[in-house]
Amino acid sequence: LQAVHVIGGGLAGSEAAWQLAQNGIPVVLHEMRPERSTDAHKTDGLAELVCSNSFRSDDAEHNAVGLLHEEMRRLGSLIMRAGDANQVPAGGALAVDRDGFSDAVTQALTSHPLITIERGEIARPRDDWDSVIIATGPLTSPDLAASIRELTGQDQLAFFDAIAPIVHRDSIDMTQAWFQSRYDKAGPGGSGADYINCPLTREQYEAFVDALITGDKTVFKEWEAATPYFDGCLPVEVMAERGRETLRYGPMKPIGLTNPHQPDVKPHAVVQLRQDNKLGTLYNMVGFQTKLKHAEQVRVFRTIPGLQNAEFARLGGLHRNTFINAPKLLDTTLRLKANTRWRFAGQITGCEGYVESAAVGLMAGRFAAAERRGEQLAPPPPTTAHGAVLAHITGGHIETIVSGPSSFQPMNVNFGLFPPLAEPPEFDRKSKLGRAKARELAKKSAISRRALTDLGTWIGAQTKAAAE
Ligand code: FAD
């Protein structure tokens, strides 16, 4: 069999290559690093996590991304296998040691007999490559972006995200800060005390908000004015500008936390830091993406009690995000309608996040493998998390999608992308959580159960087709 060419060895490309090879199809995986890098990548490892080390919630019953994790595990995902094997404690979230994770993915792909890894930038897929998966991510190299634009005839869309600073653990003053997960929630491998918390009084919070608003920011004239922020990743100073209380209801919310140094004084606001590496020597400031200039970040963040002597392993910053107008350009198996030899996967399709990108890579790999074998693989049902993400991207098979291609914006997986249940589920009307909450949890749980059942049917159909 002729090889399928996967361009980009990030979250999506690595998973796509793995799925192809596991389905018996030879793969050439092209990764431009270390020959050429991006503004965010630091290593030459495959599946490098460029910012947070979290795959977010691992709750497969009540959280859409947790459900996506579970579906990926059932589909033999390499990204989930490497993530599970390199977990660090993070409450109910699945967070990973970033180097251990990337090493595990690199090792698995390098040692697979059907995978060849070629280092070097691909400015344009060769004409004699009859099956290509483009998974070059939000920081696709400019030459390849130009080739894609040339073929699609579409102006590429772009917006920007911001990244949060990382602090050396031993520079945090634990006589002021303390370890605790919100509501003492213990996730997989966690203790219920996984986060470092820094408390602020009302006066400190007000002064902090002022410092954020007046702080010196980097200005990105070229594209800032024309491109909107992604709401899940707003810079902290933009949140502060939206209202003085916004942060207290967002990343600095003080609820579910008790300061053991002053148990009788309720903090007015709390900054949380989450473990960033297996050793526990680095902690990232949760929700503190920022475009403050580096010197300003050091000055302003050191006003947070506990961080007055903080040493930063990495400061925050802004980045560009490149994605195509997928609902208009792609078919339901992620092929470019204008040239069906090219498939797209990962963040460049307009999904958002590590897990979603890998899931789209997983689907692209399976679609390309079936095609190479001369089979047709139906898209996963829209009732599954994979199907819901795919429907968002391809604008396809869910009638409830209201946004047309012109308003297409990247989005994390969420229960709003799933078709509604045929009937409202039973729930405990006397629940201590209250009726509304109990109803909502029962609904999420029913959507998740339906998803896993329908995924099982989809997997079963593939197994049957392969056997025939
Ligand atoms: P990537 O993982 O970026 O992989 C693309 C790969 O393609 C790279 O290895 C790149 O070197 C390679 N490449 C690019 N062009 C070429 C070419 N022409 N030829 C060959 N190789 C090429 N998501 C989260 O869930 N949490 C976060 O905290 C988060 N923070 C982010 C911070 C930054 C700065 C950025 C840029 C993105 C962030 N994201 C975050 C989004 C994140 O990038 C994606 O979720 C995920 O990495 C996308 O996976 P991908 O495989 O599509 O792209």
Side-chain angles (χ1 to χ4, degrees), residues 7-13 30-33 38 40-41 50-52 120-122 135-141 144 163 319 346-347 353-354 357:
I7 308 177
L11 277 294
H30 302 266
E31 169 52 56
M32 68 176 181
R33 291 175 291 120
T38 74
H41 289 84
V50 288
C51 178
S52 153
E121 179 187 358
I122 304 295
T136 43
L139 305 169
T140 293
S141 72
L144 180 60
I163 58 177
H319 70 90
Q347 186 131 336
Y354 300 142
S357 296

PDB file of all heavy atoms in Angstrom, residues 7-13 30-33 38 40-41 50-52 120-122 135-141 144 163 319 346-347 353-354 357, ligand 1:
ATOM      1  N   ILE A   7       1.156  15.801   7.567  1.00  0.00           N
ATOM      2  CA  ILE A   7       2.033  16.972   7.731  1.00  0.00           C
ATOM      3  C   ILE A   7       1.739  17.611   9.087  1.00  0.00           C
ATOM      4  O   ILE A   7       0.620  18.046   9.350  1.00  0.00           O
ATOM      5  CB  ILE A   7       1.816  17.998   6.596  1.00  0.00           C
ATOM      6  CG1 ILE A   7       1.926  17.298   5.237  1.00  0.00           C
ATOM      7  CG2 ILE A   7       2.834  19.135   6.708  1.00  0.00           C
ATOM      8  CD1 ILE A   7       1.657  18.205   4.064  1.00  0.00           C
ATOM      9  N   GLY A   8       2.759  17.644   9.963  1.00  0.00           N
ATOM     10  CA  GLY A   8       2.613  18.216  11.303  1.00  0.00           C
ATOM     11  C   GLY A   8       2.576  17.120  12.353  1.00  0.00           C
ATOM     12  O   GLY A   8       1.649  16.302  12.383  1.00  0.00           O
ATOM     13  N   GLY A   9       3.601  17.100  13.210  1.00  0.00           N
ATOM     14  CA  GLY A   9       3.670  16.083  14.270  1.00  0.00           C
ATOM     15  C   GLY A   9       3.251  16.654  15.612  1.00  0.00           C
ATOM     16  O   GLY A   9       3.939  16.514  16.623  1.00  0.00           O
ATOM     17  N   GLY A  10       2.102  17.335  15.640  1.00  0.00           N
ATOM     18  CA  GLY A  10       1.565  17.857  16.900  1.00  0.00           C
ATOM     19  C   GLY A  10       0.574  16.863  17.486  1.00  0.00           C
ATOM     20  O   GLY A  10       0.678  15.646  17.269  1.00  0.00           O
ATOM     21  N   LEU A  11      -0.429  17.393  18.208  1.00  0.00           N
ATOM     22  CA  LEU A  11      -1.416  16.520  18.834  1.00  0.00           C
ATOM     23  C   LEU A  11      -2.209  15.757  17.776  1.00  0.00           C
ATOM     24  O   LEU A  11      -2.395  14.544  17.875  1.00  0.00           O
ATOM     25  CB  LEU A  11      -2.388  17.372  19.675  1.00  0.00           C
ATOM     26  CG  LEU A  11      -1.991  17.794  21.097  1.00  0.00           C
ATOM     27  CD1 LEU A  11      -1.892  16.568  21.982  1.00  0.00           C
ATOM     28  CD2 LEU A  11      -0.721  18.558  21.168  1.00  0.00           C
ATOM     29  N   ALA A  12      -2.674  16.474  16.749  1.00  0.00           N
ATOM     30  CA  ALA A  12      -3.538  15.854  15.738  1.00  0.00           C
ATOM     31  C   ALA A  12      -2.746  14.941  14.811  1.00  0.00           C
ATOM     32  O   ALA A  12      -3.157  13.811  14.527  1.00  0.00           O
ATOM     33  CB  ALA A  12      -4.242  16.945  14.922  1.00  0.00           C
ATOM     34  N   GLY A  13      -1.606  15.431  14.314  1.00  0.00           N
ATOM     35  CA  GLY A  13      -0.826  14.652  13.351  1.00  0.00           C
ATOM     36  C   GLY A  13      -0.298  13.370  13.975  1.00  0.00           C
ATOM     37  O   GLY A  13      -0.279  12.313  13.334  1.00  0.00           O
ATOM     38  N   HIS A  30       5.522  14.148   8.525  1.00  0.00           N
ATOM     39  CA  HIS A  30       6.455  15.251   8.270  1.00  0.00           C
ATOM     40  C   HIS A  30       6.342  16.274   9.401  1.00  0.00           C
ATOM     41  O   HIS A  30       5.251  16.803   9.641  1.00  0.00           O
ATOM     42  CB  HIS A  30       6.097  15.964   6.955  1.00  0.00           C
ATOM     43  CG  HIS A  30       6.099  15.048   5.766  1.00  0.00           C
ATOM     44  ND1 HIS A  30       7.194  14.879   4.957  1.00  0.00           N
ATOM     45  CD2 HIS A  30       5.123  14.244   5.253  1.00  0.00           C
ATOM     46  CE1 HIS A  30       6.904  14.020   3.990  1.00  0.00           C
ATOM     47  NE2 HIS A  30       5.644  13.622   4.146  1.00  0.00           N
ATOM     48  N   GLU A  31       7.443  16.555  10.060  1.00  0.00           N
ATOM     49  CA  GLU A  31       7.444  17.570  11.125  1.00  0.00           C
ATOM     50  C   GLU A  31       8.598  18.532  10.856  1.00  0.00           C
ATOM     51  O   GLU A  31       9.730  18.110  10.685  1.00  0.00           O
ATOM     52  CB  GLU A  31       7.591  16.905  12.505  1.00  0.00           C
ATOM     53  CG  GLU A  31       7.857  17.863  13.651  1.00  0.00           C
ATOM     54  CD  GLU A  31       6.863  19.032  13.732  1.00  0.00           C
ATOM     55  OE1 GLU A  31       5.647  18.794  13.815  1.00  0.00           O
ATOM     56  OE2 GLU A  31       7.327  20.201  13.702  1.00  0.00           O
ATOM     57  N   MET A  32       8.293  19.820  10.849  1.00  0.00           N
ATOM     58  CA  MET A  32       9.338  20.792  10.475  1.00  0.00           C
ATOM     59  C   MET A  32      10.345  21.054  11.587  1.00  0.00           C
ATOM     60  O   MET A  32      11.466  21.470  11.320  1.00  0.00           O
ATOM     61  CB  MET A  32       8.707  22.094  10.001  1.00  0.00           C
ATOM     62  CG  MET A  32       7.999  22.897  11.047  1.00  0.00           C
ATOM     63  SD  MET A  32       7.416  24.452  10.295  1.00  0.00           S
ATOM     64  CE  MET A  32       6.660  25.237  11.718  1.00  0.00           C
ATOM     65  N   ARG A  33       9.926  20.837  12.871  1.00  0.00           N
ATOM     66  CA  ARG A  33      10.903  21.054  13.955  1.00  0.00           C
ATOM     67  C   ARG A  33      11.916  19.913  13.971  1.00  0.00           C
ATOM     68  O   ARG A  33      11.543  18.790  13.644  1.00  0.00           O
ATOM     69  CB  ARG A  33      10.164  21.129  15.295  1.00  0.00           C
ATOM     70  CG  ARG A  33       9.320  22.374  15.453  1.00  0.00           C
ATOM     71  CD  ARG A  33       8.510  22.350  16.725  1.00  0.00           C
ATOM     72  NE  ARG A  33       7.450  21.358  16.705  1.00  0.00           N
ATOM     73  CZ  ARG A  33       7.334  20.347  17.570  1.00  0.00           C
ATOM     74  NH1 ARG A  33       8.214  20.190  18.532  1.00  0.00           N
ATOM     75  NH2 ARG A  33       6.352  19.488  17.475  1.00  0.00           N
ATOM     76  N   THR A  38       8.176  27.164  15.680  1.00  0.00           N
ATOM     77  CA  THR A  38       7.081  28.148  15.700  1.00  0.00           C
ATOM     78  C   THR A  38       7.374  29.115  16.849  1.00  0.00           C
ATOM     79  O   THR A  38       8.328  28.920  17.591  1.00  0.00           O
ATOM     80  CB  THR A  38       5.721  27.471  15.966  1.00  0.00           C
ATOM     81  OG1 THR A  38       5.670  27.091  17.356  1.00  0.00           O
ATOM     82  CG2 THR A  38       5.512  26.240  15.103  1.00  0.00           C
ATOM     83  N   ALA A  40       5.793  29.258  19.512  1.00  0.00           N
ATOM     84  CA  ALA A  40       5.387  28.683  20.800  1.00  0.00           C
ATOM     85  C   ALA A  40       6.124  27.401  21.151  1.00  0.00           C
ATOM     86  O   ALA A  40       6.337  27.118  22.334  1.00  0.00           O
ATOM     87  CB  ALA A  40       3.886  28.412  20.783  1.00  0.00           C
ATOM     88  N   HIS A  41       6.511  26.602  20.174  1.00  0.00           N
ATOM     89  CA  HIS A  41       7.169  25.328  20.478  1.00  0.00           C
ATOM     90  C   HIS A  41       8.596  25.564  20.952  1.00  0.00           C
ATOM     91  O   HIS A  41       9.272  26.488  20.502  1.00  0.00           O
ATOM     92  CB  HIS A  41       7.176  24.423  19.234  1.00  0.00           C
ATOM     93  CG  HIS A  41       5.823  23.890  18.876  1.00  0.00           C
ATOM     94  ND1 HIS A  41       4.920  24.604  18.123  1.00  0.00           N
ATOM     95  CD2 HIS A  41       5.215  22.719  19.177  1.00  0.00           C
ATOM     96  CE1 HIS A  41       3.801  23.891  17.971  1.00  0.00           C
ATOM     97  NE2 HIS A  41       3.960  22.737  18.604  1.00  0.00           N
ATOM     98  N   VAL A  50       2.152  23.236  24.121  1.00  0.00           N
ATOM     99  CA  VAL A  50       2.814  24.536  24.092  1.00  0.00           C
ATOM    100  C   VAL A  50       2.421  25.447  25.251  1.00  0.00           C
ATOM    101  O   VAL A  50       3.057  26.462  25.472  1.00  0.00           O
ATOM    102  CB  VAL A  50       2.554  25.281  22.762  1.00  0.00           C
ATOM    103  CG1 VAL A  50       3.318  24.626  21.631  1.00  0.00           C
ATOM    104  CG2 VAL A  50       1.074  25.376  22.453  1.00  0.00           C
ATOM    105  N   CYS A  51       1.363  25.096  25.990  1.00  0.00           N
ATOM    106  CA  CYS A  51       0.958  26.019  27.063  1.00  0.00           C
ATOM    107  C   CYS A  51       0.591  25.199  28.292  1.00  0.00           C
ATOM    108  O   CYS A  51       1.447  24.580  28.904  1.00  0.00           O
ATOM    109  CB  CYS A  51      -0.173  26.907  26.578  1.00  0.00           C
ATOM    110  SG  CYS A  51      -0.798  28.040  27.812  1.00  0.00           S
ATOM    111  N   SER A  52      -0.672  25.188  28.664  1.00  0.00           N
ATOM    112  CA  SER A  52      -1.100  24.455  29.852  1.00  0.00           C
ATOM    113  C   SER A  52      -0.742  22.972  29.695  1.00  0.00           C
ATOM    114  O   SER A  52      -0.605  22.468  28.582  1.00  0.00           O
ATOM    115  CB  SER A  52      -2.615  24.613  29.990  1.00  0.00           C
ATOM    116  OG  SER A  52      -3.168  23.521  30.661  1.00  0.00           O
ATOM    117  N   GLY A 120      11.378  18.348   8.424  1.00  0.00           N
ATOM    118  CA  GLY A 120      11.518  19.390   7.407  1.00  0.00           C
ATOM    119  C   GLY A 120      10.166  19.997   7.081  1.00  0.00           C
ATOM    120  O   GLY A 120       9.133  19.322   7.152  1.00  0.00           O
ATOM    121  N   GLU A 121      10.190  21.278   6.733  1.00  0.00           N
ATOM    122  CA  GLU A 121       8.943  21.989   6.435  1.00  0.00           C
ATOM    123  C   GLU A 121       8.388  21.562   5.075  1.00  0.00           C
ATOM    124  O   GLU A 121       9.124  21.402   4.115  1.00  0.00           O
ATOM    125  CB  GLU A 121       9.224  23.499   6.414  1.00  0.00           C
ATOM    126  CG  GLU A 121       7.990  24.315   6.098  1.00  0.00           C
ATOM    127  CD  GLU A 121       8.294  25.795   5.905  1.00  0.00           C
ATOM    128  OE1 GLU A 121       9.466  26.190   6.057  1.00  0.00           O
ATOM    129  OE2 GLU A 121       7.351  26.528   5.579  1.00  0.00           O
ATOM    130  N   ILE A 122       7.086  21.382   5.023  1.00  0.00           N
ATOM    131  CA  ILE A 122       6.419  21.131   3.738  1.00  0.00           C
ATOM    132  C   ILE A 122       5.688  22.427   3.374  1.00  0.00           C
ATOM    133  O   ILE A 122       4.749  22.829   4.054  1.00  0.00           O
ATOM    134  CB  ILE A 122       5.408  19.966   3.854  1.00  0.00           C
ATOM    135  CG1 ILE A 122       6.083  18.684   4.368  1.00  0.00           C
ATOM    136  CG2 ILE A 122       4.703  19.728   2.524  1.00  0.00           C
ATOM    137  CD1 ILE A 122       7.132  18.081   3.448  1.00  0.00           C
ATOM    138  N   ALA A 135      -2.067  18.718   9.287  1.00  0.00           N
ATOM    139  CA  ALA A 135      -2.345  18.883  10.733  1.00  0.00           C
ATOM    140  C   ALA A 135      -1.294  19.815  11.319  1.00  0.00           C
ATOM    141  O   ALA A 135      -0.619  19.489  12.282  1.00  0.00           O
ATOM    142  CB  ALA A 135      -2.314  17.515  11.420  1.00  0.00           C
ATOM    143  N   THR A 136      -1.164  20.981  10.692  1.00  0.00           N
ATOM    144  CA  THR A 136      -0.055  21.868  11.041  1.00  0.00           C
ATOM    145  C   THR A 136      -0.424  22.901  12.099  1.00  0.00           C
ATOM    146  O   THR A 136       0.403  23.738  12.466  1.00  0.00           O
ATOM    147  CB  THR A 136       0.466  22.554   9.759  1.00  0.00           C
ATOM    148  OG1 THR A 136      -0.656  22.961   8.970  1.00  0.00           O
ATOM    149  CG2 THR A 136       1.325  21.598   8.949  1.00  0.00           C
ATOM    150  N   GLY A 137      -1.650  22.843  12.589  1.00  0.00           N
ATOM    151  CA  GLY A 137      -1.991  23.566  13.803  1.00  0.00           C
ATOM    152  C   GLY A 137      -2.163  25.069  13.669  1.00  0.00           C
ATOM    153  O   GLY A 137      -2.140  25.631  12.567  1.00  0.00           O
ATOM    154  N   PRO A 138      -2.332  25.715  14.834  1.00  0.00           N
ATOM    155  CA  PRO A 138      -2.622  27.149  14.847  1.00  0.00           C
ATOM    156  C   PRO A 138      -1.439  27.990  14.375  1.00  0.00           C
ATOM    157  O   PRO A 138      -1.609  29.152  14.043  1.00  0.00           O
ATOM    158  CB  PRO A 138      -2.913  27.440  16.326  1.00  0.00           C
ATOM    159  CG  PRO A 138      -2.308  26.318  17.086  1.00  0.00           C
ATOM    160  CD  PRO A 138      -2.325  25.128  16.182  1.00  0.00           C
ATOM    161  N   LEU A 139      -0.243  27.377  14.344  1.00  0.00           N
ATOM    162  CA  LEU A 139       0.945  28.131  13.944  1.00  0.00           C
ATOM    163  C   LEU A 139       1.530  27.548  12.658  1.00  0.00           C
ATOM    164  O   LEU A 139       2.744  27.467  12.486  1.00  0.00           O
ATOM    165  CB  LEU A 139       1.968  28.114  15.088  1.00  0.00           C
ATOM    166  CG  LEU A 139       1.397  28.637  16.413  1.00  0.00           C
ATOM    167  CD1 LEU A 139       2.343  28.368  17.562  1.00  0.00           C
ATOM    168  CD2 LEU A 139       1.080  30.115  16.333  1.00  0.00           C
ATOM    169  N   THR A 140       0.645  27.137  11.770  1.00  0.00           N
ATOM    170  CA  THR A 140       1.030  26.635  10.440  1.00  0.00           C
ATOM    171  C   THR A 140       2.049  27.579   9.802  1.00  0.00           C
ATOM    172  O   THR A 140       1.883  28.797   9.848  1.00  0.00           O
ATOM    173  CB  THR A 140      -0.239  26.562   9.561  1.00  0.00           C
ATOM    174  OG1 THR A 140      -1.090  25.560  10.108  1.00  0.00           O
ATOM    175  CG2 THR A 140       0.070  26.242   8.118  1.00  0.00           C
ATOM    176  N   SER A 141       3.088  27.001   9.202  1.00  0.00           N
ATOM    177  CA  SER A 141       4.139  27.863   8.636  1.00  0.00           C
ATOM    178  C   SER A 141       3.546  28.726   7.520  1.00  0.00           C
ATOM    179  O   SER A 141       2.631  28.296   6.805  1.00  0.00           O
ATOM    180  CB  SER A 141       5.304  27.023   8.125  1.00  0.00           C
ATOM    181  OG  SER A 141       4.934  26.345   6.950  1.00  0.00           O
ATOM    182  N   LEU A 144       3.144  27.248   3.880  1.00  0.00           N
ATOM    183  CA  LEU A 144       2.068  26.265   3.725  1.00  0.00           C
ATOM    184  C   LEU A 144       0.709  26.965   3.792  1.00  0.00           C
ATOM    185  O   LEU A 144      -0.209  26.647   3.024  1.00  0.00           O
ATOM    186  CB  LEU A 144       2.164  25.163   4.793  1.00  0.00           C
ATOM    187  CG  LEU A 144       1.083  24.089   4.704  1.00  0.00           C
ATOM    188  CD1 LEU A 144       1.118  23.361   3.361  1.00  0.00           C
ATOM    189  CD2 LEU A 144       1.227  23.074   5.834  1.00  0.00           C
ATOM    190  N   ILE A 163      -1.193  33.039  26.572  1.00  0.00           N
ATOM    191  CA  ILE A 163      -0.712  31.949  27.445  1.00  0.00           C
ATOM    192  C   ILE A 163      -0.332  32.460  28.839  1.00  0.00           C
ATOM    193  O   ILE A 163       0.023  33.620  29.018  1.00  0.00           O
ATOM    194  CB  ILE A 163       0.462  31.162  26.818  1.00  0.00           C
ATOM    195  CG1 ILE A 163       1.645  32.052  26.500  1.00  0.00           C
ATOM    196  CG2 ILE A 163       0.034  30.445  25.574  1.00  0.00           C
ATOM    197  CD1 ILE A 163       2.840  31.298  25.937  1.00  0.00           C
ATOM    198  N   HIS A 319      -0.571  34.639  21.150  1.00  0.00           N
ATOM    199  CA  HIS A 319      -0.212  33.920  19.934  1.00  0.00           C
ATOM    200  C   HIS A 319      -1.330  33.993  18.904  1.00  0.00           C
ATOM    201  O   HIS A 319      -2.488  34.185  19.226  1.00  0.00           O
ATOM    202  CB  HIS A 319       0.105  32.457  20.246  1.00  0.00           C
ATOM    203  CG  HIS A 319      -1.096  31.668  20.639  1.00  0.00           C
ATOM    204  ND1 HIS A 319      -1.861  31.013  19.720  1.00  0.00           N
ATOM    205  CD2 HIS A 319      -1.672  31.465  21.836  1.00  0.00           C
ATOM    206  CE1 HIS A 319      -2.866  30.428  20.346  1.00  0.00           C
ATOM    207  NE2 HIS A 319      -2.775  30.687  21.633  1.00  0.00           N
ATOM    208  N   GLY A 346      -7.016  18.619  13.336  1.00  0.00           N
ATOM    209  CA  GLY A 346      -6.463  19.438  14.420  1.00  0.00           C
ATOM    210  C   GLY A 346      -7.007  20.847  14.415  1.00  0.00           C
ATOM    211  O   GLY A 346      -8.013  21.160  13.776  1.00  0.00           O
ATOM    212  N   GLN A 347      -6.293  21.693  15.119  1.00  0.00           N
ATOM    213  CA  GLN A 347      -6.802  23.040  15.370  1.00  0.00           C
ATOM    214  C   GLN A 347      -7.015  23.848  14.090  1.00  0.00           C
ATOM    215  O   GLN A 347      -7.855  24.739  14.055  1.00  0.00           O
ATOM    216  CB  GLN A 347      -5.846  23.774  16.319  1.00  0.00           C
ATOM    217  CG  GLN A 347      -6.372  25.126  16.744  1.00  0.00           C
ATOM    218  CD  GLN A 347      -6.324  25.360  18.229  1.00  0.00           C
ATOM    219  OE1 GLN A 347      -6.315  24.413  19.015  1.00  0.00           O
ATOM    220  NE2 GLN A 347      -6.311  26.604  18.631  1.00  0.00           N
ATOM    221  N   GLY A 353      -8.371  23.294  21.339  1.00  0.00           N
ATOM    222  CA  GLY A 353      -7.866  22.544  22.494  1.00  0.00           C
ATOM    223  C   GLY A 353      -7.078  21.319  22.104  1.00  0.00           C
ATOM    224  O   GLY A 353      -7.227  20.778  20.999  1.00  0.00           O
ATOM    225  N   TYR A 354      -6.221  20.887  23.031  1.00  0.00           N
ATOM    226  CA  TYR A 354      -5.364  19.724  22.785  1.00  0.00           C
ATOM    227  C   TYR A 354      -6.195  18.476  22.478  1.00  0.00           C
ATOM    228  O   TYR A 354      -5.922  17.732  21.535  1.00  0.00           O
ATOM    229  CB  TYR A 354      -4.534  19.381  24.033  1.00  0.00           C
ATOM    230  CG  TYR A 354      -3.605  20.445  24.538  1.00  0.00           C
ATOM    231  CD1 TYR A 354      -3.435  20.635  25.915  1.00  0.00           C
ATOM    232  CD2 TYR A 354      -2.856  21.234  23.672  1.00  0.00           C
ATOM    233  CE1 TYR A 354      -2.558  21.580  26.407  1.00  0.00           C
ATOM    234  CE2 TYR A 354      -1.981  22.181  24.157  1.00  0.00           C
ATOM    235  CZ  TYR A 354      -1.834  22.360  25.528  1.00  0.00           C
ATOM    236  OH  TYR A 354      -0.972  23.297  26.021  1.00  0.00           O
ATOM    237  N   SER A 357      -8.234  18.599  19.267  1.00  0.00           N
ATOM    238  CA  SER A 357      -7.342  18.506  18.104  1.00  0.00           C
ATOM    239  C   SER A 357      -6.939  17.055  17.878  1.00  0.00           C
ATOM    240  O   SER A 357      -6.949  16.554  16.745  1.00  0.00           O
ATOM    241  CB  SER A 357      -6.095  19.363  18.319  1.00  0.00           C
ATOM    242  OG  SER A 357      -6.458  20.717  18.399  1.00  0.00           O
TER     243      SER A 357
HETATM  244  P1  FAD B   1       0.116  21.548  16.983  1.00  0.00           P
HETATM  245  O1  FAD B   1       0.106  20.752  18.210  1.00  0.00           O
HETATM  246  O2  FAD B   1       0.583  22.954  17.029  1.00  0.00           O
HETATM  247  O3  FAD B   1       0.979  20.749  15.908  1.00  0.00           O
HETATM  248  C1  FAD B   1       1.248  21.267  14.620  1.00  0.00           C
HETATM  249  C2  FAD B   1       2.624  20.778  14.208  1.00  0.00           C
HETATM  250  O4  FAD B   1       2.842  21.082  12.840  1.00  0.00           O
HETATM  251  C3  FAD B   1       3.748  21.440  14.969  1.00  0.00           C
HETATM  252  O5  FAD B   1       4.562  20.460  15.527  1.00  0.00           O
HETATM  253  C4  FAD B   1       4.461  22.298  13.926  1.00  0.00           C
HETATM  254  O6  FAD B   1       5.849  22.385  14.176  1.00  0.00           O
HETATM  255  C5  FAD B   1       4.159  21.541  12.657  1.00  0.00           C
HETATM  256  N1  FAD B   1       4.166  22.342  11.411  1.00  0.00           N
HETATM  257  C6  FAD B   1       3.604  23.546  11.181  1.00  0.00           C
HETATM  258  N2  FAD B   1       3.762  23.893   9.873  1.00  0.00           N
HETATM  259  C7  FAD B   1       4.428  22.878   9.265  1.00  0.00           C
HETATM  260  C8  FAD B   1       4.877  22.634   7.940  1.00  0.00           C
HETATM  261  N3  FAD B   1       4.652  23.511   6.956  1.00  0.00           N
HETATM  262  N4  FAD B   1       5.532  21.486   7.677  1.00  0.00           N
HETATM  263  C9  FAD B   1       5.772  20.570   8.661  1.00  0.00           C
HETATM  264  N5  FAD B   1       5.373  20.748   9.948  1.00  0.00           N
HETATM  265  C10 FAD B   1       4.694  21.883  10.242  1.00  0.00           C
HETATM  266  N6  FAD B   1      -4.865  24.181  23.817  1.00  0.00           N
HETATM  267  C11 FAD B   1      -5.228  23.693  25.029  1.00  0.00           C
HETATM  268  O7  FAD B   1      -6.013  22.738  25.128  1.00  0.00           O
HETATM  269  N7  FAD B   1      -4.741  24.235  26.181  1.00  0.00           N
HETATM  270  C12 FAD B   1      -3.862  25.271  26.155  1.00  0.00           C
HETATM  271  O8  FAD B   1      -3.423  25.732  27.188  1.00  0.00           O
HETATM  272  C13 FAD B   1      -3.464  25.795  24.898  1.00  0.00           C
HETATM  273  N8  FAD B   1      -2.600  26.835  24.835  1.00  0.00           N
HETATM  274  C14 FAD B   1      -2.098  27.223  23.640  1.00  0.00           C
HETATM  275  C15 FAD B   1      -1.065  28.174  23.593  1.00  0.00           C
HETATM  276  C16 FAD B   1      -0.490  28.514  22.394  1.00  0.00           C
HETATM  277  C17 FAD B   1       0.642  29.466  22.360  1.00  0.00           C
HETATM  278  C18 FAD B   1      -0.996  27.950  21.184  1.00  0.00           C
HETATM  279  C19 FAD B   1      -0.387  28.295  19.869  1.00  0.00           C
HETATM  280  C20 FAD B   1      -2.038  27.056  21.216  1.00  0.00           C
HETATM  281  C21 FAD B   1      -2.602  26.681  22.447  1.00  0.00           C
HETATM  282  N9  FAD B   1      -3.620  25.751  22.533  1.00  0.00           N
HETATM  283  C22 FAD B   1      -4.004  25.223  23.729  1.00  0.00           C
HETATM  284  C23 FAD B   1      -4.173  25.249  21.355  1.00  0.00           C
HETATM  285  C24 FAD B   1      -3.225  24.127  20.922  1.00  0.00           C
HETATM  286  O9  FAD B   1      -2.287  24.504  19.995  1.00  0.00           O
HETATM  287  C25 FAD B   1      -3.940  23.124  20.248  1.00  0.00           C
HETATM  288  O10 FAD B   1      -4.939  22.783  21.106  1.00  0.00           O
HETATM  289  C26 FAD B   1      -3.125  21.924  19.850  1.00  0.00           C
HETATM  290  O11 FAD B   1      -1.743  21.952  20.072  1.00  0.00           O
HETATM  291  C27 FAD B   1      -3.357  21.870  18.407  1.00  0.00           C
HETATM  292  O12 FAD B   1      -2.944  20.637  17.968  1.00  0.00           O
HETATM  293  P2  FAD B   1      -2.535  20.520  16.457  1.00  0.00           P
HETATM  294  O13 FAD B   1      -2.004  19.158  16.289  1.00  0.00           O
HETATM  295  O14 FAD B   1      -3.619  20.991  15.596  1.00  0.00           O
HETATM  296  O15 FAD B   1      -1.330  21.587  16.305  1.00  0.00           O
END
